[in-house]
Amino acid sequence: MMNMFQTQGRKKAAAILFIASGILLLFSLTLPYWKIQVMAPQYPKGLGVSIYVDHLAGDVREIDGLNHYIGMKLLGRAAQLERKLAVLGVIAIALAAFASIFARKYFALVLILPILLFPFLFAADLFAWLAYYGLSLDPHAPFSSSIKPFIPPLFGKGVIGQFKALASFQTGFYFSLFASFFSSIGILLRFSARKINFPALVPAISVTGVTVLSFCFGLPEAYAKTISVTSPEAMRQALAGAGEGDMIEVSPGVYPGPWVIEKPVKLAGINFPILDGGGKGTVIKLAAPNIEIKGFVIRGSGDSLALEDTGILAEAPNALIEDNRLEDVLFGISVQHAPNTIVRNNHLSSKKLPVARRGDLIRVWYSDGVILEGNHTWEGRDAVLWFSKRLLVRGNVFQKSRYALHFMYCDDARVEGNVFEDNSVGAYLMYSNRIRLSGNKITNNRGPSGFGVGFKDMEEARIYANLIANNKTGFYFDSA
């Protein structure tokens, strides 16, 4: 008689757990299962896509637009069969869990098996699609040579070109995992022939529930911490102790250099603190990927052309150099072997030297995919872009220089909406293919040669919608 009561008790407990499992799984249909968020300098608030079992939500169009440049397929084309079957499939799995209450124990195992496996199959299918998308990039995409095949993160942080990615499972997935856990306890109760201490199960179930819910609603942010500094010594200590992606906020003041940044951190100046090189060498060197520097006055480099003394030297990929003022520097911003760097909204002026003794206020060297946008150079020597593919030069102002813009071996560059004014030569473009020159204002360039735009050994250039006026020579073509 006692064994019969024990058996009935186990069946009732299992039934409650199976019902709870089915309800949780059905409720998960309304919730996101997975999310990926990408952060980049041009998207400071980030872009995100959430995956439900039957649809995508969030910034799908924007991320598809970005993915086009690296040759990734449209997100909506992934897992189309799975998403069509998902709702009916989940309902069927939940009904099977309910039906297992009335089934004999071995048939109950068959009915409950789908709900046991569902979250793990979802994760495996998602990983397979991530791998397929990341490893089958279009080799003809604009940035195909800069981005190698990769697998986006299933969980945690990753880096994709200029973007930092954070992937995480969401509430719907954890509800399905909770359903799987309840079902596993239920099936153990059905199959167990031993006496079950039901009160003892309550703490175990509670602890597991709290753990799962904490993941659902309290996932720790994987983004980095913020460190505030008010002195040069504090800044050096912060750089020494910083972790990947940490933000170092620098208060107003003078911070004597030179500075060498060897970790992927973000430097943010508050009210334009001054990084001062003291007239020697390079003021600040960015020697690690994914460094950001924003909101500083950079001044006082050395004056050696042989040593190429520079205000900001980027030597690693994916740097962001934005909203800085460079004064009294020989070379301004130099990007060397640092693909996918962004140089934006900086104001640059050179040392008060004869033009031939000045350095280049912007230099890009062997760095594909660089973006130069919204910068203003004044009284420098040249802006030099050499041996770099797929450059975007947009919305800059180049004034009072020798060669405002000097290209060599820069295929597939786009030069859009810039102002080349009061220079010796506006733009001189050499040894490059498929340049697009559009929407620029090219005026009053009247040095000894005085070209508005010069082309030498160029092929397939497209020049349209520019204003070219009052130059000594408007266009000059040499083997173009």
Side-chain angles (χ1 to χ4, degrees), residues 124-286:
D125 185 65
L126 175 59
F127 179 78
W129 279 106
L130 289 172
Y132 171 67
Y133 264 50
L135 297 177
S136 58
L137 302 179
D138 183 355
H140 303 294
F143 291 169
S144 58
S145 65
S146 300
I147 303 294
K148 302 304 180 185
F150 64 97
I151 300 179
L154 179 66
F155 188 86
K157 294 190 290 186
V159 176
I160 306 170
Q162 298 174 358
F163 289 82
K164 298 176 183 177
L166 175 63
S168 59
F169 290 105
Q170 297 293 295
T171 311
F173 176 82
Y174 289 111
F175 271 50
S176 73
L177 196 62
F178 215 177
S180 177
F181 170 73
F182 277 166
S183 298
S184 65
I185 297 297
I187 207 69
L188 286 175
L189 290 175
R190 288 290 302 271
F191 273 78
S192 176
R194 298 173 58 189
K195 181 179 179 180
I196 303 297
N197 185 357
F198 294 111
L201 289 175
V202 174
I205 293 174
S206 299
V207 169
T208 304
V210 170
T211 302
V212 172
L213 290 175
S214 70
F215 273 102
C216 293
F217 301 109
L219 282 171
E221 288 292 327
Y223 298 117
K225 61 182 181 293
T226 298
I227 307 168
S228 296
V229 300
T230 58
S231 68
E233 183 57 33
M235 182 169 164
R236 295 188 191 279
Q237 290 176 358
L239 288 170
E244 180 177 346
D246 282 355
M247 170 78 76
I248 300 175
E249 292 185 342
V250 182
S251 296
V254 179
Y255 295 76
W259 296 92
V260 179
I261 314 301
E262 299 179 310
K263 295 181 179 180
V265 297
K266 302 175 184 178
L267 292 172
I270 300 172
N271 295 326
F272 288 96
I274 299 167
L275 304 183
D276 195 325
K280 296 180 180 179
T282 290
V283 181
I284 183 166
K285 182 184 296 185
L286 312 182

Side-chain angles (χ1 to χ4, degrees), residues 408-423:
M408 291 181 67
Y409 303 103
C410 292
D411 292 345
D412 301 300
R414 291 158 52 199
V415 183
E416 304 172 350
N418 304 281
V419 174
F420 305 93
E421 191 172 56
D422 297 323
N423 306 286

Side-chain angles (χ1 to χ4, degrees), residues 368-404:
D368 295 344
V370 168
I371 296 173
L372 304 177
E373 185 174 39
N375 303 287
H376 186 181
T377 68
W378 176 265
E379 293 188 340
R381 184 173 66 178
D382 305 334
V384 169
L385 285 64
W386 287 6
F387 304 105
S388 301
K389 298 177 181 178
R390 298 179 305 281
L391 303 177
L392 174 59
V393 184
R394 180 171 59 196
N396 304 280
V397 178
F398 302 97
Q399 293 179 304
K400 301 290 185 180
S401 301
R402 185 179 65 177
Y403 286 72

